Amino acid sequence: MKALVVSDIHGSSYYANKIPEIFEKEKADKIILLGDLYYHGPRNPLTKEYAPMKVAEALNSLKQYIEAVKGNCDAEVDEMISEFKLNDNLLLDINGKKVFCTHGQNYNIDNLPNKKIDIMLYGHFHTGFIKEKDGIIFANPGSISLPKDNTENSYLTIDEEKMELKNTDGKVIDSINF
C-alpha cells in the first residue's frame, strides 16, 4: 500500500488541483491530509489561487481515498463542505507500522502522544523533513502551498520500503528506508 501525505493547503485551489495529479502519478492507494485545508489563517498571506470551495471540490473528488485530521485553522464549517471526516488525530496501520497522524500544534517531535507508535506524521510548521529519534520516525510533508524557512512546496509518500519527501514536481528532497 502506498500513501500520499499532504498538509497545509490553506485554501489554494492551484495546489489542491495538483493533488489528484500527484495521487495518480505516485500510484498511491490512500491520501492522508494533515489539516489546514481551506482557510489561510490570520498570520499567512493568501495562497495562490485562493478559493476554499474549489479546494473542497478537488478534495471531495478523492473522498474515498482520504483520511484527514483537523488543523488549527480548520473549523466546524470546514467539516460542512468536506465529504470526508476531519479527525482530531488518527492512528493508522500502514504496511504493518503504527502511524500516528496529527496536525502538529499539540503533538509533534517535542510532545509525543501516550501511544506506542513507529511513525508520527504532522504538518503545521510548513517545513518538510524526515527524522528518526528514539526509534520513532518523525515526518512532516511541509506545506504544499505555503512552505516556510526556504523549504519547497512538498508532500510525502510512504510505501512498504521507504518514506520520501518530494517537491511538487516529484523530485526527492529526503528519504528513509524501512
Side-chain angles (χ1 to χ4, degrees), residues 60-114:
N60 288 337
S61 75
L62 298 165
K63 66 185 174 189
Q64 69 269 31
Y65 305 106
I66 291 177
E67 297 269 5
V69 297
K70 236 182 258 188
N72 61 310
C73 291
D74 295 321
E76 190 175 314
V77 70
D78 299 324
E79 294 182 89
M80 295 169 71
I81 63 170
S82 300
E83 295 174 9
F84 49 88
K85 183 169 175 40
L86 294 174
N87 300 278
D88 289 334
N89 304 293
L90 288 168
L91 185 59
L92 303 174
D93 181 307
I94 300 178
N95 302 320
K97 305 229 183 282
K98 286 188 173 82
V99 182
F100 185 77
C101 305
T102 189
H103 182 60
Q105 78 274 25
N106 296 320
Y107 297 113
N108 52 58
I109 196 168
D110 297 318
N111 187 32
L112 299 174
N114 190 18

Side-chain angles (χ1 to χ4, degrees), residues 6 14 22 34-35 56 58 84 110 152 178:
V6 176
Y14 177 84
I22 293 167
L34 298 179
F84 49 88
D110 297 318
E152 297 184 61
F178 300 128

Side-chain angles (χ1 to χ4, degrees), residues 44-163:
N44 295 315
L46 287 177
T47 54
K48 185 173 184 174
E49 296 179 20
Y50 184 73
M53 285 303 294
K54 288 186 179 180
V55 172
E57 288 172 20
L59 297 179
N60 288 337
S61 75
L62 298 165
K63 66 185 174 189
Q64 69 269 31
Y65 305 106
I66 291 177
E67 297 269 5
V69 297
K70 236 182 258 188
N72 61 310
C73 291
D74 295 321
E76 190 175 314
V77 70
D78 299 324
E79 294 182 89
M80 295 169 71
I81 63 170
S82 300
E83 295 174 9
F84 49 88
K85 183 169 175 40
L86 294 174
N87 300 278
D88 289 334
N89 304 293
L90 288 168
L91 185 59
L92 303 174
D93 181 307
I94 300 178
N95 302 320
K97 305 229 183 282
K98 286 188 173 82
V99 182
F100 185 77
C101 305
T102 189
H103 182 60
Q105 78 274 25
N106 296 320
Y107 297 113
N108 52 58
I109 196 168
D110 297 318
N111 187 32
L112 299 174
N114 190 18
K115 299 180 184 313
K116 179 163 175 34
I117 58 173
D118 301 304
I119 298 171
M120 178 186 269
L121 301 175
Y122 62 94
H124 184 63
F125 296 98
H126 296 224
T127 55
F129 66 80
I130 300 171
K131 297 178 183 175
E132 192 166 1
K133 179 180 171 188
D134 300 327
I136 299 172
I137 296 170
F138 297 89
N140 189 317
S143 172
I144 195 164
S145 68
L146 283 172
K148 294 184 179 174
D149 298 332
N150 296 314
T151 60
E152 297 184 61
N153 303 70
S154 56
Y155 63 90
L156 286 167
T157 59
I158 304 169
D159 64 23
E160 294 84 0
E161 300 171 359
K162 65 189 170 308
M163 180 186 307

